[in-house]
mmCIF file of all heavy atoms in Angstrom:
data_model
loop_
_atom_site.group_PDB
_atom_site.id
_atom_site.type_symbol
_atom_site.label_atom_id
_atom_site.label_comp_id
_atom_site.label_asym_id
_atom_site.label_seq_id
_atom_site.Cartn_x
_atom_site.Cartn_y
_atom_site.Cartn_z
ATOM 1 N N THR A 1535 -29.801 -35.892 -114.696
ATOM 2 C CA THR A 1535 -29.841 -37.206 -115.358
ATOM 3 C C THR A 1535 -30.796 -38.156 -114.646
ATOM 4 O O THR A 1535 -31.513 -38.922 -115.282
ATOM 5 C CB THR A 1535 -28.414 -37.821 -115.367
ATOM 6 O OG1 THR A 1535 -27.544 -36.846 -115.932
ATOM 7 C CG2 THR A 1535 -28.347 -39.095 -116.169
ATOM 8 N N ILE A 1536 -30.788 -38.094 -113.311
ATOM 9 C CA ILE A 1536 -31.662 -38.998 -112.552
ATOM 10 C C ILE A 1536 -32.424 -38.208 -111.475
ATOM 11 O O ILE A 1536 -31.996 -37.117 -111.080
ATOM 12 C CB ILE A 1536 -30.873 -40.146 -111.877
ATOM 13 C CG1 ILE A 1536 -29.806 -39.591 -110.936
ATOM 14 C CG2 ILE A 1536 -30.253 -41.058 -112.903
ATOM 15 C CD1 ILE A 1536 -29.058 -40.673 -110.188
ATOM 16 N N THR A 1537 -33.512 -38.799 -111.022
ATOM 17 C CA THR A 1537 -34.304 -38.180 -109.951
ATOM 18 C C THR A 1537 -34.439 -39.175 -108.806
ATOM 19 O O THR A 1537 -34.618 -40.382 -109.043
ATOM 20 C CB THR A 1537 -35.694 -37.786 -110.498
ATOM 21 O OG1 THR A 1537 -35.504 -36.852 -111.551
ATOM 22 C CG2 THR A 1537 -36.555 -37.146 -109.420
ATOM 23 N N VAL A 1538 -34.329 -38.650 -107.595
ATOM 24 C CA VAL A 1538 -34.339 -39.506 -106.408
ATOM 25 C C VAL A 1538 -35.486 -39.079 -105.491
ATOM 26 O O VAL A 1538 -35.732 -37.886 -105.337
ATOM 27 C CB VAL A 1538 -32.989 -39.348 -105.662
ATOM 28 C CG1 VAL A 1538 -33.035 -40.009 -104.294
ATOM 29 C CG2 VAL A 1538 -31.858 -39.926 -106.493
ATOM 30 N N LEU A 1539 -36.166 -40.055 -104.905
ATOM 31 C CA LEU A 1539 -37.141 -39.749 -103.848
ATOM 32 C C LEU A 1539 -36.639 -40.392 -102.567
ATOM 33 O O LEU A 1539 -36.256 -41.576 -102.556
ATOM 34 C CB LEU A 1539 -38.527 -40.301 -104.215
ATOM 35 C CG LEU A 1539 -39.640 -39.942 -103.230
ATOM 36 C CD1 LEU A 1539 -39.937 -38.439 -103.233
ATOM 37 C CD2 LEU A 1539 -40.938 -40.677 -103.569
ATOM 38 N N THR A 1540 -36.594 -39.595 -101.491
ATOM 39 C CA THR A 1540 -36.132 -40.128 -100.207
ATOM 40 C C THR A 1540 -36.882 -39.447 -99.072
ATOM 41 O O THR A 1540 -37.741 -38.605 -99.316
ATOM 42 C CB THR A 1540 -34.595 -39.960 -100.081
ATOM 43 O OG1 THR A 1540 -34.137 -40.706 -98.955
ATOM 44 C CG2 THR A 1540 -34.180 -38.501 -99.935
ATOM 45 N N GLY A 1541 -36.583 -39.849 -97.830
ATOM 46 C CA GLY A 1541 -37.267 -39.251 -96.686
ATOM 47 C C GLY A 1541 -36.266 -38.671 -95.705
ATOM 48 O O GLY A 1541 -35.101 -39.080 -95.686
ATOM 49 N N SER A 1542 -36.695 -37.727 -94.881
ATOM 50 C CA SER A 1542 -35.795 -37.237 -93.838
ATOM 51 C C SER A 1542 -36.246 -37.839 -92.497
ATOM 52 O O SER A 1542 -37.410 -38.170 -92.319
ATOM 53 C CB SER A 1542 -35.796 -35.710 -93.792
ATOM 54 O OG SER A 1542 -37.059 -35.242 -93.441
ATOM 55 N N GLY A 1543 -35.290 -37.992 -91.596
ATOM 56 C CA GLY A 1543 -35.598 -38.593 -90.298
ATOM 57 C C GLY A 1543 -35.512 -40.105 -90.351
ATOM 58 O O GLY A 1543 -34.850 -40.672 -91.226
ATOM 59 N N ASP A 1544 -36.202 -40.764 -89.423
ATOM 60 C CA ASP A 1544 -36.021 -42.219 -89.301
ATOM 61 C C ASP A 1544 -36.922 -43.026 -90.242
ATOM 62 O O ASP A 1544 -36.695 -44.217 -90.437
ATOM 63 C CB ASP A 1544 -36.218 -42.666 -87.843
ATOM 64 C CG ASP A 1544 -37.601 -42.318 -87.302
ATOM 65 O OD1 ASP A 1544 -38.271 -41.438 -87.890
ATOM 66 O OD2 ASP A 1544 -38.022 -42.918 -86.302
ATOM 67 N N TYR A 1545 -37.949 -42.404 -90.817
ATOM 68 C CA TYR A 1545 -38.842 -43.114 -91.746
ATOM 69 C C TYR A 1545 -38.595 -42.676 -93.189
ATOM 70 O O TYR A 1545 -38.205 -41.531 -93.428
ATOM 71 C CB TYR A 1545 -40.321 -42.805 -91.407
ATOM 72 C CG TYR A 1545 -40.980 -43.879 -90.566
ATOM 73 C CD1 TYR A 1545 -40.535 -44.144 -89.273
ATOM 74 C CD2 TYR A 1545 -42.036 -44.631 -91.064
ATOM 75 C CE1 TYR A 1545 -41.130 -45.141 -88.504
ATOM 76 C CE2 TYR A 1545 -42.645 -45.615 -90.304
ATOM 77 C CZ TYR A 1545 -42.177 -45.865 -89.027
ATOM 78 O OH TYR A 1545 -42.770 -46.849 -88.277
ATOM 79 N N TYR A 1546 -38.869 -43.579 -94.120
ATOM 80 C CA TYR A 1546 -38.963 -43.157 -95.532
ATOM 81 C C TYR A 1546 -40.310 -42.439 -95.678
ATOM 82 O O TYR A 1546 -40.370 -41.260 -95.992
ATOM 83 C CB TYR A 1546 -38.856 -44.395 -96.419
ATOM 84 C CG TYR A 1546 -39.092 -44.164 -97.903
ATOM 85 C CD1 TYR A 1546 -38.246 -43.365 -98.661
ATOM 86 C CD2 TYR A 1546 -40.171 -44.800 -98.556
ATOM 87 C CE1 TYR A 1546 -38.467 -43.179 -100.031
ATOM 88 C CE2 TYR A 1546 -40.387 -44.623 -99.916
ATOM 89 C CZ TYR A 1546 -39.525 -43.812 -100.649
ATOM 90 O OH TYR A 1546 -39.752 -43.636 -101.992
ATOM 91 N N CYS A 1547 -41.392 -43.146 -95.350
ATOM 92 C CA CYS A 1547 -42.720 -42.526 -95.438
ATOM 93 C C CYS A 1547 -43.746 -43.468 -94.801
ATOM 94 O O CYS A 1547 -43.704 -44.678 -95.041
ATOM 95 C CB CYS A 1547 -43.057 -42.291 -96.911
ATOM 96 S SG CYS A 1547 -44.742 -41.712 -97.181
ATOM 97 N N SER A 1548 -44.657 -42.906 -94.016
ATOM 98 C CA SER A 1548 -45.684 -43.762 -93.388
ATOM 99 C C SER A 1548 -46.981 -43.764 -94.197
ATOM 100 O O SER A 1548 -48.048 -44.081 -93.666
ATOM 101 C CB SER A 1548 -45.938 -43.325 -91.944
ATOM 102 O OG SER A 1548 -46.475 -42.020 -91.925
ATOM 103 N N GLY A 1549 -46.896 -43.402 -95.467
ATOM 104 C CA GLY A 1549 -48.065 -43.535 -96.346
ATOM 105 C C GLY A 1549 -49.003 -42.350 -96.254
ATOM 106 O O GLY A 1549 -48.627 -41.258 -95.792
ATOM 107 N N ASN A 1550 -50.216 -42.574 -96.682
ATOM 108 C CA ASN A 1550 -51.214 -41.506 -96.661
ATOM 109 C C ASN A 1550 -51.427 -41.017 -95.235
ATOM 110 O O ASN A 1550 -51.524 -41.818 -94.311
ATOM 111 C CB ASN A 1550 -52.533 -42.056 -97.223
ATOM 112 C CG ASN A 1550 -53.565 -40.985 -97.411
ATOM 113 O OD1 ASN A 1550 -53.253 -39.866 -97.842
ATOM 114 N ND2 ASN A 1550 -54.804 -41.287 -97.090
ATOM 115 N N ASP A 1551 -51.483 -39.707 -95.066
ATOM 116 C CA ASP A 1551 -51.783 -39.139 -93.748
ATOM 117 C C ASP A 1551 -53.243 -39.443 -93.433
ATOM 118 O O ASP A 1551 -54.152 -38.942 -94.105
ATOM 119 C CB ASP A 1551 -51.545 -37.623 -93.768
ATOM 120 C CG ASP A 1551 -51.716 -37.006 -92.390
ATOM 121 O OD1 ASP A 1551 -52.519 -37.545 -91.591
ATOM 122 O OD2 ASP A 1551 -51.059 -36.002 -92.113
ATOM 123 N N LEU A 1552 -53.441 -40.259 -92.400
ATOM 124 C CA LEU A 1552 -54.812 -40.685 -92.108
ATOM 125 C C LEU A 1552 -55.676 -39.517 -91.635
ATOM 126 O O LEU A 1552 -56.902 -39.596 -91.677
ATOM 127 C CB LEU A 1552 -54.797 -41.832 -91.096
ATOM 128 C CG LEU A 1552 -54.102 -43.111 -91.616
ATOM 129 C CD1 LEU A 1552 -53.985 -44.161 -90.526
ATOM 130 C CD2 LEU A 1552 -54.842 -43.697 -92.821
ATOM 131 N N SER A 1553 -55.048 -38.411 -91.255
ATOM 132 C CA SER A 1553 -55.838 -37.224 -90.887
ATOM 133 C C SER A 1553 -56.471 -36.573 -92.110
ATOM 134 O O SER A 1553 -57.329 -35.708 -91.965
ATOM 135 C CB SER A 1553 -54.971 -36.176 -90.197
ATOM 136 O OG SER A 1553 -54.192 -36.756 -89.224
ATOM 137 N N ASN A 1554 -55.996 -36.934 -93.312
ATOM 138 C CA ASN A 1554 -56.635 -36.406 -94.530
ATOM 139 C C ASN A 1554 -58.139 -36.681 -94.501
ATOM 140 O O ASN A 1554 -58.912 -35.981 -95.135
ATOM 141 C CB ASN A 1554 -56.057 -37.066 -95.796
ATOM 142 C CG ASN A 1554 -54.652 -36.567 -96.115
ATOM 143 O OD1 ASN A 1554 -54.262 -35.496 -95.670
ATOM 144 N ND2 ASN A 1554 -53.896 -37.337 -96.892
ATOM 145 N N PHE A 1555 -58.509 -37.726 -93.778
ATOM 146 C CA PHE A 1555 -59.919 -38.116 -93.763
ATOM 147 C C PHE A 1555 -60.718 -37.343 -92.713
ATOM 148 O O PHE A 1555 -61.925 -37.450 -92.663
ATOM 149 C CB PHE A 1555 -60.047 -39.623 -93.458
ATOM 150 C CG PHE A 1555 -59.481 -40.499 -94.542
ATOM 151 C CD1 PHE A 1555 -58.163 -40.926 -94.502
ATOM 152 C CD2 PHE A 1555 -60.265 -40.892 -95.612
ATOM 153 C CE1 PHE A 1555 -57.637 -41.730 -95.499
ATOM 154 C CE2 PHE A 1555 -59.748 -41.695 -96.617
ATOM 155 C CZ PHE A 1555 -58.437 -42.113 -96.558
ATOM 156 N N LYS A 1556 -59.992 -36.587 -91.875
ATOM 157 C CA LYS A 1556 -60.658 -35.957 -90.734
ATOM 158 C C LYS A 1556 -61.590 -34.811 -91.123
ATOM 159 O O LYS A 1556 -62.611 -34.598 -90.498
ATOM 160 C CB LYS A 1556 -59.597 -35.421 -89.765
ATOM 161 C CG LYS A 1556 -59.637 -36.130 -88.463
ATOM 162 C CD LYS A 1556 -58.757 -35.624 -87.354
ATOM 163 C CE LYS A 1556 -57.826 -34.486 -87.568
ATOM 164 N NZ LYS A 1556 -56.771 -34.435 -86.568
ATOM 165 N N ASP A 1557 -61.192 -34.066 -92.186
ATOM 166 C CA ASP A 1557 -61.919 -32.830 -92.504
ATOM 167 C C ASP A 1557 -63.048 -33.019 -93.496
ATOM 168 O O ASP A 1557 -63.551 -32.048 -94.050
ATOM 169 C CB ASP A 1557 -60.942 -31.792 -93.074
ATOM 170 C CG ASP A 1557 -59.812 -31.536 -92.113
ATOM 171 O OD1 ASP A 1557 -60.091 -31.488 -90.908
ATOM 172 O OD2 ASP A 1557 -58.660 -31.412 -92.568
ATOM 173 N N VAL A 1558 -63.405 -34.289 -93.740
ATOM 174 C CA VAL A 1558 -64.490 -34.525 -94.702
ATOM 175 C C VAL A 1558 -65.787 -33.936 -94.132
ATOM 176 O O VAL A 1558 -66.207 -34.297 -93.038
ATOM 177 C CB VAL A 1558 -64.671 -36.034 -94.954
ATOM 178 C CG1 VAL A 1558 -65.876 -36.292 -95.837
ATOM 179 C CG2 VAL A 1558 -63.407 -36.608 -95.571
ATOM 180 N N PRO A 1559 -66.424 -32.992 -94.856
ATOM 181 C CA PRO A 1559 -67.637 -32.387 -94.315
ATOM 182 C C PRO A 1559 -68.744 -33.408 -94.192
ATOM 183 O O PRO A 1559 -68.894 -34.260 -95.077
ATOM 184 C CB PRO A 1559 -67.999 -31.316 -95.346
ATOM 185 C CG PRO A 1559 -67.094 -31.501 -96.504
ATOM 186 C CD PRO A 1559 -66.091 -32.556 -96.196
ATOM 187 N N SER A 1560 -69.512 -33.326 -93.112
ATOM 188 C CA SER A 1560 -70.558 -34.328 -92.929
ATOM 189 C C SER A 1560 -71.587 -34.175 -94.043
ATOM 190 O O SER A 1560 -71.879 -33.070 -94.499
ATOM 191 C CB SER A 1560 -71.206 -34.173 -91.557
ATOM 192 O OG SER A 1560 -71.700 -32.880 -91.458
ATOM 193 N N GLY A 1561 -72.081 -35.295 -94.509
ATOM 194 C CA GLY A 1561 -73.068 -35.274 -95.591
ATOM 195 C C GLY A 1561 -72.433 -35.206 -96.967
ATOM 196 O O GLY A 1561 -73.135 -35.243 -97.970
ATOM 197 N N ARG A 1562 -71.083 -35.089 -97.046
ATOM 198 C CA ARG A 1562 -70.450 -34.978 -98.351
ATOM 199 C C ARG A 1562 -69.315 -35.980 -98.561
ATOM 200 O O ARG A 1562 -68.353 -35.685 -99.268
ATOM 201 C CB ARG A 1562 -69.862 -33.579 -98.548
ATOM 202 C CG ARG A 1562 -70.889 -32.498 -98.437
ATOM 203 C CD ARG A 1562 -70.390 -31.200 -99.024
ATOM 204 N NE ARG A 1562 -71.509 -30.303 -99.179
ATOM 205 C CZ ARG A 1562 -72.259 -30.243 -100.255
ATOM 206 N NH1 ARG A 1562 -72.005 -31.002 -101.288
ATOM 207 N NH2 ARG A 1562 -73.275 -29.412 -100.323
ATOM 208 N N PRO A 1563 -69.369 -37.142 -97.935
ATOM 209 C CA PRO A 1563 -68.237 -38.067 -98.087
ATOM 210 C C PRO A 1563 -68.038 -38.534 -99.522
ATOM 211 O O PRO A 1563 -66.893 -38.724 -99.951
ATOM 212 C CB PRO A 1563 -68.591 -39.226 -97.167
ATOM 213 C CG PRO A 1563 -70.041 -39.131 -96.918
ATOM 214 C CD PRO A 1563 -70.409 -37.688 -97.051
ATOM 215 N N GLU A 1564 -69.118 -38.697 -100.290
ATOM 216 C CA GLU A 1564 -68.969 -39.199 -101.665
ATOM 217 C C GLU A 1564 -68.175 -38.213 -102.516
ATOM 218 O O GLU A 1564 -67.303 -38.594 -103.288
ATOM 219 C CB GLU A 1564 -70.323 -39.450 -102.339
ATOM 220 C CG GLU A 1564 -71.032 -40.715 -101.857
ATOM 221 C CD GLU A 1564 -71.772 -40.500 -100.550
ATOM 222 O OE1 GLU A 1564 -71.867 -39.332 -100.106
ATOM 223 O OE2 GLU A 1564 -72.225 -41.495 -99.951
ATOM 224 N N GLU A 1565 -68.494 -36.933 -102.340
ATOM 225 C CA GLU A 1565 -67.786 -35.913 -103.119
ATOM 226 C C GLU A 1565 -66.313 -35.894 -102.783
ATOM 227 O O GLU A 1565 -65.445 -35.784 -103.640
ATOM 228 C CB GLU A 1565 -68.370 -34.542 -102.797
ATOM 229 C CG GLU A 1565 -69.137 -33.970 -103.948
ATOM 230 C CD GLU A 1565 -69.887 -32.724 -103.546
ATOM 231 O OE1 GLU A 1565 -69.406 -31.970 -102.684
ATOM 232 O OE2 GLU A 1565 -70.973 -32.538 -104.100
ATOM 233 N N SER A 1566 -66.038 -35.982 -101.486
ATOM 234 C CA SER A 1566 -64.670 -35.960 -101.025
ATOM 235 C C SER A 1566 -63.905 -37.165 -101.577
ATOM 236 O O SER A 1566 -62.754 -37.049 -102.018
ATOM 237 C CB SER A 1566 -64.711 -36.022 -99.512
ATOM 238 O OG SER A 1566 -63.582 -35.530 -98.993
ATOM 239 N N ALA A 1567 -64.569 -38.315 -101.541
ATOM 240 C CA ALA A 1567 -63.926 -39.537 -102.047
ATOM 241 C C ALA A 1567 -63.653 -39.409 -103.542
ATOM 242 O O ALA A 1567 -62.610 -39.841 -104.042
ATOM 243 C CB ALA A 1567 -64.820 -40.743 -101.773
ATOM 244 N N GLN A 1568 -64.574 -38.791 -104.245
ATOM 245 C CA GLN A 1568 -64.417 -38.626 -105.693
ATOM 246 C C GLN A 1568 -63.208 -37.723 -106.004
ATOM 247 O O GLN A 1568 -62.394 -38.012 -106.873
ATOM 248 C CB GLN A 1568 -65.692 -37.992 -106.243
ATOM 249 C CG GLN A 1568 -65.937 -38.259 -107.698
ATOM 250 C CD GLN A 1568 -67.255 -37.652 -108.150
ATOM 251 O OE1 GLN A 1568 -67.731 -36.671 -107.573
ATOM 252 N NE2 GLN A 1568 -67.847 -38.224 -109.166
ATOM 253 N N ARG A 1569 -63.096 -36.630 -105.245
ATOM 254 C CA ARG A 1569 -61.969 -35.716 -105.466
ATOM 255 C C ARG A 1569 -60.657 -36.398 -105.111
ATOM 256 O O ARG A 1569 -59.650 -36.242 -105.776
ATOM 257 C CB ARG A 1569 -62.126 -34.470 -104.591
ATOM 258 C CG ARG A 1569 -62.855 -33.377 -105.286
ATOM 259 C CD ARG A 1569 -62.725 -32.055 -104.558
ATOM 260 N NE ARG A 1569 -63.082 -32.125 -103.164
ATOM 261 C CZ ARG A 1569 -62.208 -31.992 -102.163
ATOM 262 N NH1 ARG A 1569 -60.941 -31.794 -102.402
ATOM 263 N NH2 ARG A 1569 -62.614 -32.066 -100.919
ATOM 264 N N SER A 1570 -60.690 -37.178 -104.033
ATOM 265 C CA SER A 1570 -59.469 -37.862 -103.616
ATOM 266 C C SER A 1570 -59.041 -38.884 -104.664
ATOM 267 O O SER A 1570 -57.847 -39.089 -104.901
ATOM 268 C CB SER A 1570 -59.690 -38.561 -102.279
ATOM 269 O OG SER A 1570 -60.074 -37.618 -101.328
ATOM 270 N N ALA A 1571 -60.041 -39.522 -105.289
ATOM 271 C CA ALA A 1571 -59.698 -40.511 -106.326
ATOM 272 C C ALA A 1571 -59.053 -39.826 -107.531
ATOM 273 O O ALA A 1571 -58.111 -40.369 -108.131
ATOM 274 C CB ALA A 1571 -60.947 -41.285 -106.755
ATOM 275 N N VAL A 1572 -59.522 -38.634 -107.863
ATOM 276 C CA VAL A 1572 -58.899 -37.883 -108.969
ATOM 277 C C VAL A 1572 -57.467 -37.512 -108.596
ATOM 278 O O VAL A 1572 -56.529 -37.674 -109.381
ATOM 279 C CB VAL A 1572 -59.716 -36.604 -109.306
ATOM 280 C CG1 VAL A 1572 -58.977 -35.719 -110.297
ATOM 281 C CG2 VAL A 1572 -61.085 -36.975 -109.862
ATOM 282 N N LEU A 1573 -57.298 -37.066 -107.343
ATOM 283 C CA LEU A 1573 -55.954 -36.695 -106.877
ATOM 284 C C LEU A 1573 -55.017 -37.911 -106.921
ATOM 285 O O LEU A 1573 -53.892 -37.838 -107.424
ATOM 286 C CB LEU A 1573 -56.040 -36.138 -105.446
ATOM 287 C CG LEU A 1573 -54.716 -35.849 -104.739
ATOM 288 C CD1 LEU A 1573 -53.900 -34.805 -105.499
ATOM 289 C CD2 LEU A 1573 -54.967 -35.363 -103.305
ATOM 290 N N LEU A 1574 -55.509 -39.031 -106.420
ATOM 291 C CA LEU A 1574 -54.684 -40.239 -106.399
ATOM 292 C C LEU A 1574 -54.290 -40.653 -107.823
ATOM 293 O O LEU A 1574 -53.128 -40.956 -108.103
ATOM 294 C CB LEU A 1574 -55.450 -41.386 -105.720
ATOM 295 C CG LEU A 1574 -54.784 -42.755 -105.792
ATOM 296 C CD1 LEU A 1574 -53.449 -42.762 -105.071
ATOM 297 C CD2 LEU A 1574 -55.697 -43.839 -105.204
#
Side-chain angles (χ1 to χ4, degrees):
T1535 307
I1536 58 177
T1537 299
V1538 170
L1539 185 67
T1540 191
S1542 64
D1544 59 341
Y1545 262 64
Y1546 173 64
C1547 173
S1548 64
N1550 188 40
D1551 185 330
L1552 297 174
S1553 313
N1554 287 339
F1555 294 92
K1556 245 186 357 199
D1557 303 321
V1558 174
S1560 57
R1562 301 197 166 271
E1564 285 81 9
E1565 250 171 33
S1566 202
Q1568 204 177 27
R1569 269 193 308 112
S1570 302
V1572 172
L1573 173 61
L1574 172 63

